[in-house]
Amino acid sequence: VRSSTPADWPLAAAAKPGAVEWKAMAFNSVVLASTLSGALPLPVTAAAVGLTALPSARRALRALRERRASVDLLDLSAIGISLGTGQPVTAAFITWLLGLGDIILAQTTSRARNAISQLMKLDAQDAFRIEGSRTERVPVSRLCVGDRIVVEAGQSVAADGIVEGGLALVDEKALTGESVPCERRPGDRVLAASVVVEGQ
């Protein structure tokens, strides 16, 4: 993250997840099929397998530029050794498996990104801040450290904090996975995006 810029980060509204990986996988499958059939001469087959290894080569070079070794370097070595010892089928199968791994990774990343986006939507937009003897509705962005807020049953907790008064059952499953609401009383910590099920 430190070595990247926000422009490099994937957008939630990016192109269909995995489209590039699916195209690469289709090409890898064609290359694997051609090596298995022996339809192409060895130099052509080796060049085709070399093309399928480009994603691993790019990742390995990026890692080396950052002065670290990565699993891509090992993958590239295995592909190179297979081609160097006249085993293009083995090399093609390795790149085919790597392509399959890229598809699984892309889909897993997409699901994780969607889950995080849904979690972000759980955040409350407004909070009920206590000002003296009255309560005012304010945007969450206007809350400051030390503000006191009240959360009624059915509302999301707008910010992390410590309970000063009241008693409530709080649903934290979106954050912790715990399916049973937890009782929160004065002195207990509450987390933003948790939901008060009962109490205040």
Side-chain angles (χ1 to χ4, degrees):
V1 171
R2 269 194 225 103
S3 64
S4 68
T5 63
D8 299 329
W9 301 347
L11 299 174
K16 188 175 179 183
V20 173
E21 289 80 6
W22 279 110
K23 288 176 186 172
M25 188 63 185
F27 181 69
N28 290 2
S29 298
V30 169
V31 171
L32 178 60
S34 69
T35 57
L36 287 169
S37 68
L40 299 172
L42 188 58
V44 176
T45 302
V49 172
L51 284 175
T52 64
L54 281 177
S56 292
R58 277 194 292 267
R59 290 191 296 256
L61 285 172
R62 191 180 313 128
L64 287 173
R65 273 192 227 108
E66 295 170 1
R67 298 177 193 271
R68 62 182 177 84
S70 70
V71 72
D72 297 297
L73 192 57
L74 296 175
D75 295 336
L76 209 55
S77 300
I79 294 163
I81 290 167
S82 298
L83 288 175
T85 56
Q87 300 177 58
V89 174
T90 303
F93 188 64
I94 291 170
T95 59
W96 186 85
L97 284 176
L98 292 173
L100 181 61
D102 287 345
I103 287 174
I104 293 168
L105 180 62
Q107 292 184 339
T108 303
T109 302
S110 174
R111 278 198 296 271
R113 188 176 297 125
N114 288 338
I116 290 169
S117 297
Q118 291 302 316
L119 185 58
M120 297 295 279
K121 289 178 187 172
L122 293 175
D123 287 346
Q125 301 300 309
D126 296 314
F128 293 92
R129 183 168 58 190
I130 300 169
E131 289 289 338
S133 60
R134 63 188 182 86
T135 303
E136 64 174 354
R137 186 178 193 150
V138 296
V140 171
S141 59
R142 285 184 45 207
L143 289 178
C144 299
V145 174
D147 281 350
R148 296 169 66 232
I149 61 174
V150 63
V151 187
E152 304 282 351
Q155 294 177 344
S156 291
V157 176
D160 293 350
I162 305 294
V163 179
E164 283 195 355
L167 177 67
L169 285 177
V170 179
D171 182 354
E172 297 179 345
K173 73 172 162 270
L175 302 172
T176 65
E178 175 60 54
S179 59
V180 179
C182 309
E183 189 176 83
R184 293 289 180 255
R185 52 181 68 244
D188 291 343
R189 185 183 180 107
V190 286
L191 301 171
S194 56
V195 178
V196 173
V197 177
E198 187 179 315
Q200 182 193 63

